[in-house]
Amino acid sequence: MQDKRILYVSSEVVPYLAENEVSMMSYDVPKMVNDQGGQIRIFMPRYGNINERRHQLHEVIRLSGMNLVVNDLDMPLIIKVASIPKERIQVYFIDNDEYFKRKATFTDEEGALYPDNDERAIFFAKGVVETVKKLNWVPDIIHVHGWLASMLPIYMKHYYKDEALFADTKIVTSVYTQSFEGQLDAEMINKVKFDGVPESAVSALMQPSFENLMKATVDHSDGVIVATDQLSPSLTKYIESSGKPFLSFVTKDQFAEAYTRFYELL
């Protein structure tokens, strides 16, 4: 993995949020590549329940200040950065007061999904790509973790398809069991179509359940990793029949070699 450039885009990363299957792998995989001499960047949302003082986040003025359009509304993009202690790994945080100031990740105190989670996902995807463009850092691979990050492959293949910077970049998506009950906003597909994404490419989003979101993401990925041994049979079958290169679940003590081999196949 020497000098391989890999961009990790995740909805959750330890130590900034609690440990779960997404946040742990979003730390372990970049650390593995970093230890092997690869070049990495990590992006995640700056949720309001992340303690900025404890984790020493600070705003990067030269990267902030852009407005991103989501569903015909201008939303200011704020970029913050921190370093994971002892690892020399930099993490970039996508922030916006409207979308990410609230003191939780995906649901309110009653456990109900935030009604604008679809817009948060779109904003996050655009924010990552626009920031990477400003950094002028060309990733060989973009590796996506967690459903809130799942719009990135779709936007890369459509909204950003003419960006020369990413002409040779491959997209890998890890699929986890972490999901949500019910569906995201029924207007989600129209918000995505507003950005020029053809309906035929994201027809699964007509009913934006967790499984349909993952199917649309798989369709727009260059490779898929099954990151859990408890994935639903229907989603497993969809991945296996997608025609995409895929890596079946491997245990934590075996993932380093398997993921490295998978990256090199793309």
Side-chain angles (χ1 to χ4, degrees):
M1 299 306 290
Q2 190 73 33
D3 294 329
K4 196 93 165 172
R5 292 183 167 200
I6 304 182
L7 170 64
Y8 291 92
V9 182
S10 179
S11 55
E12 300 173 86
V13 183
V14 294
Y16 304 105
L17 292 168
E19 293 184 4
N20 59 42
E21 59 179 6
V22 176
S23 64
M24 289 291 288
M25 287 305 283
S26 298
Y27 168 81
D28 289 337
V29 183
K31 181 183 183 305
M32 177 267 292
V33 173
N34 198 50
D35 290 346
Q36 291 182 9
Q39 298 181 43
I40 63 163
R41 299 282 189 276
I42 302 175
F43 278 76
M44 68 176 290
R46 204 295 296 179
Y47 306 103
N49 54 346
I50 295 173
N51 189 314
E52 293 202 16
R53 183 175 295 177
R54 183 194 308 149
H55 295 296
Q56 299 182 356
L57 273 67
H58 60 272
E59 185 176 348
V60 186
I61 303 298
R62 71 183 178 88
L63 297 175
S64 298
M66 184 187 306
N67 276 6
L68 304 179
V69 177
V70 178
N71 198 28
D72 208 18
L73 290 174
D74 277 2
M75 307 302 285
L77 173 64
I78 302 164
I79 301 298
K80 294 173 181 174
V81 72
S83 293
I84 296 178
K86 302 177 187 172
E87 295 299 340
R88 300 195 311 277
I89 293 176
Q90 217 166 34
V91 180
Y92 292 83
F93 295 83
I94 300 294
D95 199 2
N96 170 272
D97 285 350
E98 185 74 24
Y99 288 138
F100 295 114
K101 193 144 193 163
R102 60 202 76 161
K103 296 290 184 184
T105 49
F106 313 124
T107 58
D108 63 21
E109 292 171 356
E110 308 297 319
L113 282 172
Y114 288 126
D116 62 353
N117 273 338
D118 60 327
E119 295 184 12
R120 297 167 90 212
I122 293 168
F123 182 87
F124 181 49
K126 286 185 172 182
V128 169
V129 180
E130 295 295 348
T131 304
V132 173
K133 282 165 58 181
K134 274 195 174 180
L135 290 169
N136 201 30
W137 187 78
V138 185
D140 298 303
I141 294 169
I142 299 174
H143 191 165
V144 176
H145 300 259
W147 64 262
L148 198 83
S150 64
M151 295 308 293
L152 190 129
I154 294 167
Y155 273 73
M156 284 290 291
K157 298 296 185 182
H158 294 284
Y159 192 76
Y160 293 106
K161 67 175 190 263
D162 296 325
E163 287 287 349
L165 195 70
F166 304 113
D168 300 317
T169 300
K170 301 296 184 184
I171 303 171
V172 174
T173 296
S174 281
V175 182
Y176 297 86
T177 50
Q178 183 201 68
S179 64
F180 52 84
E181 294 295 321
Q183 298 186 4
L184 302 183
D185 183 32
E187 285 297 306
M188 181 176 190
I189 192 166
N190 292 324
K191 297 171 190 178
V192 175
K193 283 165 59 182
F194 176 83
D195 286 324
V197 180
E199 184 174 310
S200 58
V202 287
S203 56
L205 298 182
M206 286 179 147
Q207 293 185 308
S209 63
F210 167 75
E211 193 145 316
N212 285 343
L213 200 60
M214 289 298 102
K215 286 178 178 178
T217 303
V218 167
D219 289 345
H220 291 85
S221 301
D222 299 301
V224 183
I225 294 175
V226 177
T228 175
D229 60 351
Q230 297 175 16
L231 199 62
S232 72
S234 56
L235 207 43
T236 301
K237 185 179 178 183
Y238 191 84
I239 292 167
E240 291 174 351
S241 62
S242 67
K244 311 281 182 178
F246 71 91
L247 177 65
S248 298
F249 175 71
V250 289
T251 56
K252 192 165 180 177
D253 58 336
Q254 297 176 314
F255 88 87
E257 185 182 345
Y259 279 39
T260 301
R261 242 187 356 254
F262 190 69
Y263 284 156
E264 289 168 349
L265 283 173
L266 296 173

